[in-house]
Amino acid sequence: MTATVPVAVTDAAGRRPSCPADLAVVLSPASYAGGTVLDLSGPLTAGEIVLDEVVPARAPWSAVVRAGQVLTIVDVGGNQSGDCLLYSAADTGERYSVPDTISWSGTAYVRTGTVLRSNYGNALATVVANEIDRQDTIGGACGKESNTLRYGHHTMAEHGCRENFLAEAARHGMGARDIVSNLNWFMNVPVEADGTLGIVDGISGPGKRVAFRADMDILVLVSNCPQVNNPCNGFNPTPLRMIVTAAAETAPEKARKTAQGTEPRA
Amino acid sequence: MAGTSTGHETDTVTAARSDARAQSGRVADAMPYLPASGTPFAPPGVDTDLLVWAETVAAGGYTHKVLARGSRIRLEDVTGEACAHVLLYNALEPWERLNVADTMKIPWQAYPGTGHPLLSGDGRVLATIVADDSGRHDALCGTSTAAAARAKYGDPAPQGPSPSGRELFVLAAAKHGLTPRDLPPSISFFKGVRVRGDGGLEFTGSAGPARAVELVAELPLIMLIANVPHPIDPRPGYVSGLLRVHAWRSAPTGPGDPYWDAAPETHRAYLNTTDYAGARGL
Ligand SMILES: [Zn+2]
């Protein structure tokens, strides 16, 4: 439906993200459940913005993030799960590994400083900023087939993250065997003392962010989760904003440029 | 030259043939037993005529087998120091494989035990845990990478003294036409992990020697097993032990079985599984 009031399509800094759909509709509260608040927020790290896109609700997304660049993910509408997989851009056989991330970090939750490791144990990326208490990496992805187990066969016609991952993976020459267990930005999956675990109400909100720095060139796949049967999206799928900022200049690079006279001395 | 230094007479083809044949019938601590019905370690109460797999896997070793739907698989930690890292695939469509996230999320339970389904990402049960007197299992930490084994033990190579689980899985998978891309996160048996309130991991270790876990194959399976230390075992040495494996012909979970409708999620998983098996004529 078309919004009847003007919808802001820029953030507080005046930046307008790109979007594969009509941004005015994607950012209109009228497109979502009553009471939805949308906040485009902005990047969590300084540096030149090299990519700035809004992912509509329920859609897949992918991009290559170069080593040193930082990807900020904005939970525009609040408590929107961003299911995420990472691959080495040079060899997609090297990909995000839940158990290696958990085993090396010694914790089941992802927080600032967590190194997101590959199936070879290498650092793919490192979480450099996080505005909610903890991020999930044990809850996995929803999908048409698993929805039939969780909620019943009446949900079979609904779209899922596994379908988003398969569609986006296919664009990069990958298939079902390349889809492994994933990260869930802004999803809340506590593990209780007896091992009971599950997706409960989120601890995020409109405009909350997480940011990770690529430690090698990585291909990032995201499913903006379409799930409407549990609280992972607050039963109200909303957009995500993806902002890639350029690598911060390292001290040795700055010193070299200064010595070469290509940069004014401080 | 070789004959004098090694005790083998192998200077002609005839001598080499005799030398090779003289090695028949020897016994090792870790070996398969063929036919399986002749296993020296038959599981109690099992009709040995029904056995299809009998093997002892070395510490730091691996094994693999294609198993029919309805097979019952028994893994035994002989010394209390085994850790059986397991991957399962639908043998008919091996891109359907173990999904540890669904295995924990769908039953609402992170810690595998009796009655726990091992689920694929396709909404079906690959295997059910039907017996367990260990209770120390883990679906969170996977197996060891070469990088982790190198950092902890020095040499992660399969031919070395401290193979990593992933290096062994690469070999086992290759023998079924599967590549390193086909190695998702694995589950492990006989070494426990618990999650504390703050998310920190606690290694609870072994339940002791002669503990066993039994699985029922709910689909035709490719089963890969790597027997290496758990990745967060805090002990500095490469501690591993013999793993005994037996499998025999039994029946998949169906109506009337205790796990068939024990919970709504797993009930629908068994319905999906029997629907698939029925359509394929299994
Ligand atoms: Zn989802």
Short mmCIF file of all heavy atoms in Angstrom, two decimals, chain B residues 21-49:
data_model
loop_
_atom_site.label_atom_id
_atom_site.label_comp_id
_atom_site.label_asym_id
_atom_site.label_seq_id
_atom_site.Cartn_x
_atom_site.Cartn_y
_atom_site.Cartn_z
N ARG B 21 51.24 -63.38 2.14
CA ARG B 21 50.18 -64.30 2.57
C ARG B 21 50.40 -64.80 3.99
O ARG B 21 49.43 -65.14 4.69
CB ARG B 21 50.09 -65.46 1.59
CG ARG B 21 49.47 -65.03 0.26
CD ARG B 21 49.43 -66.15 -0.75
NE ARG B 21 48.66 -65.76 -1.94
CZ ARG B 21 48.52 -66.52 -3.03
NH1 ARG B 21 49.11 -67.72 -3.08
NH2 ARG B 21 47.81 -66.09 -4.04
N ALA B 22 51.65 -64.84 4.42
CA ALA B 22 51.94 -65.30 5.79
C ALA B 22 51.42 -64.33 6.83
O ALA B 22 51.33 -64.66 8.01
CB ALA B 22 53.46 -65.49 5.96
N GLN B 23 51.06 -63.11 6.36
CA GLN B 23 50.55 -62.11 7.32
C GLN B 23 49.06 -62.27 7.60
O GLN B 23 48.51 -61.61 8.50
CB GLN B 23 50.82 -60.70 6.77
CG GLN B 23 52.32 -60.41 6.59
CD GLN B 23 52.58 -59.08 5.89
OE1 GLN B 23 51.95 -58.08 6.20
NE2 GLN B 23 53.49 -59.08 4.93
N SER B 24 48.40 -63.16 6.86
CA SER B 24 46.95 -63.35 7.05
C SER B 24 46.64 -63.80 8.48
O SER B 24 47.43 -64.52 9.10
CB SER B 24 46.44 -64.45 6.11
OG SER B 24 46.63 -64.08 4.79
N GLY B 25 45.49 -63.38 8.93
CA GLY B 25 45.00 -63.92 10.20
C GLY B 25 45.55 -63.23 11.43
O GLY B 25 45.20 -63.60 12.55
N ARG B 26 46.41 -62.24 11.22
CA ARG B 26 46.91 -61.54 12.41
C ARG B 26 45.81 -60.66 12.99
O ARG B 26 44.84 -60.33 12.33
CB ARG B 26 48.13 -60.68 12.04
CG ARG B 26 49.34 -61.54 11.62
CD ARG B 26 50.56 -60.69 11.39
NE ARG B 26 51.64 -61.48 10.81
CZ ARG B 26 52.77 -60.96 10.35
NH1 ARG B 26 52.96 -59.66 10.37
NH2 ARG B 26 53.70 -61.75 9.85
N VAL B 27 46.02 -60.27 14.20
CA VAL B 27 45.01 -59.48 14.92
C VAL B 27 45.66 -58.19 15.39
O VAL B 27 46.81 -58.18 15.82
CB VAL B 27 44.48 -60.29 16.13
CG1 VAL B 27 43.57 -59.43 17.00
CG2 VAL B 27 43.74 -61.54 15.65
N ALA B 28 44.90 -57.10 15.27
CA ALA B 28 45.36 -55.81 15.79
C ALA B 28 44.32 -55.27 16.76
O ALA B 28 43.15 -55.69 16.74
CB ALA B 28 45.56 -54.82 14.64
N ASP B 29 44.72 -54.32 17.60
CA ASP B 29 43.77 -53.72 18.53
C ASP B 29 42.63 -53.02 17.79
O ASP B 29 41.49 -53.02 18.24
CB ASP B 29 44.48 -52.70 19.44
CG ASP B 29 45.37 -53.36 20.46
OD1 ASP B 29 45.18 -54.57 20.72
OD2 ASP B 29 46.26 -52.68 20.99
N ALA B 30 43.00 -52.39 16.67
CA ALA B 30 42.00 -51.66 15.88
C ALA B 30 41.91 -52.31 14.52
O ALA B 30 42.89 -52.34 13.77
CB ALA B 30 42.39 -50.20 15.74
N MET B 31 40.73 -52.85 14.19
CA MET B 31 40.53 -53.52 12.91
C MET B 31 39.05 -53.81 12.71
O MET B 31 38.29 -53.86 13.67
CB MET B 31 41.31 -54.85 12.87
CG MET B 31 40.89 -55.86 13.92
SD MET B 31 41.87 -57.39 13.88
CE MET B 31 41.39 -58.11 12.31
N PRO B 32 38.63 -54.00 11.47
CA PRO B 32 37.26 -54.48 11.22
C PRO B 32 37.22 -56.00 11.37
O PRO B 32 38.24 -56.67 11.20
CB PRO B 32 37.01 -54.07 9.77
CG PRO B 32 38.36 -54.05 9.13
CD PRO B 32 39.37 -53.72 10.21
N TYR B 33 36.05 -56.54 11.71
CA TYR B 33 35.87 -57.98 11.85
C TYR B 33 34.91 -58.45 10.77
O TYR B 33 33.76 -58.01 10.72
CB TYR B 33 35.34 -58.31 13.25
CG TYR B 33 36.13 -57.61 14.34
CD1 TYR B 33 35.59 -56.52 15.01
CD2 TYR B 33 37.44 -58.01 14.65
CE1 TYR B 33 36.32 -55.85 15.98
CE2 TYR B 33 38.17 -57.33 15.62
CZ TYR B 33 37.61 -56.26 16.28
OH TYR B 33 38.34 -55.59 17.24
N LEU B 34 35.40 -59.34 9.88
CA LEU B 34 34.58 -59.82 8.77
C LEU B 34 34.53 -61.35 8.75
O LEU B 34 35.58 -61.98 8.89
CB LEU B 34 35.13 -59.31 7.44
CG LEU B 34 34.74 -57.87 7.06
CD1 LEU B 34 35.58 -56.86 7.83
CD2 LEU B 34 34.87 -57.67 5.57
N PRO B 35 33.38 -61.97 8.54
CA PRO B 35 32.09 -61.27 8.51
C PRO B 35 31.77 -60.68 9.87
O PRO B 35 32.27 -61.15 10.90
CB PRO B 35 31.10 -62.37 8.13
CG PRO B 35 31.74 -63.63 8.62
CD PRO B 35 33.23 -63.44 8.42
N ALA B 36 30.89 -59.67 9.86
CA ALA B 36 30.56 -58.98 11.11
C ALA B 36 30.03 -59.93 12.17
O ALA B 36 30.24 -59.74 13.37
CB ALA B 36 29.55 -57.87 10.83
N SER B 37 29.35 -61.01 11.71
CA SER B 37 28.77 -61.97 12.66
C SER B 37 29.85 -62.66 13.50
O SER B 37 29.56 -63.20 14.56
CB SER B 37 27.94 -63.02 11.92
OG SER B 37 28.76 -63.69 10.97
N GLY B 38 31.10 -62.61 13.03
CA GLY B 38 32.19 -63.25 13.77
C GLY B 38 32.90 -62.32 14.74
O GLY B 38 33.96 -62.67 15.26
N THR B 39 32.32 -61.18 15.02
CA THR B 39 32.98 -60.21 15.92
C THR B 39 33.31 -60.84 17.27
O THR B 39 32.50 -61.57 17.84
CB THR B 39 32.08 -58.98 16.15
OG1 THR B 39 32.72 -58.11 17.09
CG2 THR B 39 30.71 -59.37 16.68
N PRO B 40 34.51 -60.57 17.78
CA PRO B 40 34.83 -61.06 19.13
C PRO B 40 34.18 -60.23 20.22
O PRO B 40 34.32 -60.55 21.40
CB PRO B 40 36.36 -60.93 19.19
CG PRO B 40 36.74 -59.91 18.17
CD PRO B 40 35.66 -59.90 17.12
N PHE B 41 33.48 -59.16 19.85
CA PHE B 41 32.91 -58.24 20.86
C PHE B 41 31.42 -58.03 20.63
O PHE B 41 30.93 -56.91 20.68
CB PHE B 41 33.65 -56.90 20.81
CG PHE B 41 35.14 -57.02 20.97
CD1 PHE B 41 35.98 -56.90 19.86
CD2 PHE B 41 35.70 -57.26 22.22
CE1 PHE B 41 37.36 -57.01 20.00
CE2 PHE B 41 37.08 -57.37 22.36
CZ PHE B 41 37.92 -57.24 21.25
N ALA B 42 30.69 -59.10 20.33
CA ALA B 42 29.27 -58.97 20.00
C ALA B 42 28.52 -58.22 21.09
O ALA B 42 28.66 -58.53 22.28
CB ALA B 42 28.65 -60.34 19.80
N PRO B 43 27.71 -57.22 20.72
CA PRO B 43 26.91 -56.50 21.73
C PRO B 43 25.96 -57.46 22.43
O PRO B 43 25.40 -58.36 21.79
CB PRO B 43 26.13 -55.46 20.92
CG PRO B 43 26.84 -55.36 19.61
CD PRO B 43 27.46 -56.70 19.36
N PRO B 44 25.75 -57.29 23.74
CA PRO B 44 24.88 -58.21 24.49
C PRO B 44 23.45 -58.18 23.94
O PRO B 44 22.92 -57.12 23.63
CB PRO B 44 24.93 -57.66 25.93
CG PRO B 44 25.46 -56.27 25.81
CD PRO B 44 26.31 -56.24 24.59
N GLY B 45 22.86 -59.38 23.79
CA GLY B 45 21.47 -59.47 23.39
C GLY B 45 21.20 -59.32 21.91
O GLY B 45 20.05 -59.32 21.49
N VAL B 46 22.27 -59.17 21.11
CA VAL B 46 22.07 -58.97 19.66
C VAL B 46 22.33 -60.30 18.94
O VAL B 46 23.33 -60.97 19.19
CB VAL B 46 23.03 -57.89 19.13
CG1 VAL B 46 22.94 -57.78 17.61
CG2 VAL B 46 22.71 -56.55 19.78
N ASP B 47 21.39 -60.69 18.06
CA ASP B 47 21.56 -61.87 17.22
C ASP B 47 22.70 -61.59 16.24
O ASP B 47 22.57 -60.73 15.36
CB ASP B 47 20.25 -62.13 16.47
CG ASP B 47 20.34 -63.32 15.52
OD1 ASP B 47 21.46 -63.87 15.33
OD2 ASP B 47 19.29 -63.68 14.94
N THR B 48 23.82 -62.29 16.40
CA THR B 48 25.00 -61.96 15.60
C THR B 48 24.76 -62.18 14.10
O THR B 48 25.45 -61.57 13.28
CB THR B 48 26.23 -62.77 16.05
OG1 THR B 48 25.89 -64.17 16.01
CG2 THR B 48 26.64 -62.38 17.46
N ASP B 49 23.77 -63.00 13.73
CA ASP B 49 23.47 -63.17 12.31
C ASP B 49 22.96 -61.88 11.67
O ASP B 49 22.96 -61.74 10.45
CB ASP B 49 22.41 -64.27 12.12
CG ASP B 49 23.00 -65.65 12.37
OD1 ASP B 49 24.25 -65.77 12.34
OD2 ASP B 49 22.22 -66.59 12.60
#
